Amino acid sequence: MDSRPDVSNVQSPILKLIEDLRSDSLDVKRIATAELRILAQSAEDRTVIAECGAIDLLVDLIHSTDSKTQENAVTALLNLSISEKNKIAIANANAIHPLINVLRTGNSEAKENSAATLYSLAVIEENRVQIGESGAIRPLVELLVNGTPQGKKDAVTALYNLSKCHKNKARIVQAGAVKHLVELIDHAAAGMVDKAVTILANLATIEEGRTAIGQAGGVCVIVEVVELGSPRGKENAASALLQLCTNSVKLCNIVIQEGVVPPLVALSQHGTPRAKDKARSLLSHIRSQRNGHARNR
């Protein structure tokens, strides 16, 4: 016997809502997108909605001139994108460019949910490249600077995923993100600090990123995270400092001047396994630097 649940009772109302997305009536489309937005919160309904062909229609409605319909369509896609299979289907439905347009021009909630959708899609590596190439990074940085608290959180989360792609690192630096990430680390809640530090650690693997971190006064705040951050924050802060120190004598001297050695010693003894490894490597490099200076006198 087939043990799958009978979805016919689920499909019928969903099919009606999907048909309503094609309606000439703005009110009908607004109601249908709102209901699909809610239904897509359920894992079972998420699958049915996608299989019944809603994704292409919802992507079309991102272009709606009605702000509420647009917001509902974006949020429905956000909820659908929780499913791994749907992440690929949404990107293949050419959703990325219209989502970026909403990021630039939508209302506050639509911008936030567009950023969250882009983050969700960027879990897939090939989507990260496409999102970066499509121009998402500058409006994400704009949201990071000027968004609501939720908007800032969604923007930093999206940038966090996009920064894992090497091609996006220079784009993030060129969009002026580093200064704002440094400010965020100084003032934000712990969860956002961890993501911001991870982005800086990723950016520190390229020369432009290291230069920008130095110019933005980022060394001081990263050292502070090594001392006072969460276990994950300390780990990524040590990783960022290791990149800065091993690639720039000037930045290494600044790191030392900021008093990094005592918190690094503590981290080398009590951090996560990866943090201990990074802290010990950095302490070894600092000792080599100091020994080199001593021999050169």
Side-chain angles (χ1 to χ4, degrees):
M1 293 288 290
D2 191 338
S3 61
R4 288 178 301 173
D6 180 8
V7 296
S8 58
N9 291 333
V10 179
Q11 279 185 341
S12 183
I14 287 175
L15 285 169
K16 173 64 170 66
L17 290 171
I18 291 171
E19 189 58 38
D20 286 347
L21 296 181
R22 297 186 175 92
S23 171
D24 293 330
S25 166
L26 188 56
D27 288 340
V28 170
K29 285 191 281 197
R30 190 186 299 125
I31 292 166
T33 53
E35 292 193 30
L36 287 168
R37 166 182 180 168
I38 294 166
L39 288 171
Q41 294 172 354
S42 151
E44 183 183 335
D45 288 345
R46 223 175 274 143
T47 301
V48 176
I49 290 167
E51 289 178 351
C52 288
I55 288 174
D56 285 322
L57 294 168
L58 288 167
V59 170
D60 287 342
L61 287 171
I62 300 177
H63 298 284
S64 175
T65 53
D66 178 63
S67 62
K68 198 63 189 175
T69 301
Q70 182 185 73
E71 178 196 315
N72 288 336
V74 169
T75 312
L77 289 168
L78 169 60
N79 293 336
L80 290 172
S81 74
I82 294 168
S83 160
E84 202 74 6
K85 187 178 176 182
N86 289 345
K87 293 182 199 300
I88 297 167
I90 291 167
N92 288 345
N94 298 316
I96 289 171
H97 278 290
L99 284 169
I100 293 169
N101 188 54
V102 172
L103 199 54
R104 293 192 182 103
T105 63
N107 64 34
S108 291
E109 190 169 351
K111 285 182 177 182
E112 292 163 10
N113 290 337
S114 177
T117 308
L118 290 170
Y119 158 69
S120 181
L121 297 181
V123 168
I124 307 292
E125 188 171 349
E126 65 196 69
N127 289 347
R128 287 178 204 150
V129 178
Q130 189 182 347
I131 291 166
E133 289 177 345
S134 299
I137 288 168
R138 285 193 182 276
L140 283 171
V141 173
E142 177 72 20
L143 187 63
L144 178 66
V145 178
N146 297 315
T148 64
Q150 182 61 50
K152 290 174 188 285
K153 185 176 180 180
D154 291 326
V156 80
T157 307
L159 290 168
Y160 161 78
N161 242 359
L162 293 172
S163 72
K164 297 174 185 177
C165 169
H166 182 75
K167 290 182 178 179
N168 287 333
K169 293 174 184 178
R171 295 185 182 111
I172 293 170
V173 175
Q174 289 158 10
V178 170
K179 176 179 72 169
H180 304 297
L181 291 166
V182 168
E183 290 170 356
L184 194 69
I185 293 168
D186 229 3
H187 300 106
M192 289 176 72
V193 168
D194 287 353
K195 287 188 171 66
V197 171
T198 306
I199 296 168
L200 291 182
N202 291 338
L203 299 182
T205 61
I206 63 169
E207 186 177 351
E208 304 100 300
R210 293 189 289 273
T211 301
I213 290 168
Q215 290 173 343
V219 172
C220 175
V221 296
I222 296 172
V223 169
E224 193 171 310
V225 175
V226 171
E227 184 173 8
L228 302 172
S230 70
R232 178 59 64 85
K234 289 179 179 184
E235 181 181 300
N236 286 309
S239 180
L241 293 177
L242 185 61
Q243 288 290 339
L244 297 178
C245 289
T246 54
N247 288 283
S248 168
V249 173
K250 179 183 175 183
L251 288 174
C252 189
N253 288 334
I254 296 171
V255 170
I256 295 167
Q257 288 163 14
E258 289 293 341
V260 77
V261 171
L264 275 180
V265 170
L267 189 61
S268 71
Q269 296 168 349
H270 306 296
T272 65
R274 182 170 174 265
K276 287 179 180 178
D277 181 54
K278 297 292 181 185
R280 288 166 184 164
S281 296
L282 186 47
L283 285 167
S284 175
H285 181 77
I286 288 170
R287 279 194 295 272
S288 298
Q289 282 283 106
R290 285 175 165 171
N291 290 338
H293 282 308
R295 283 194 297 269
N296 291 331
R297 286 177 186 169

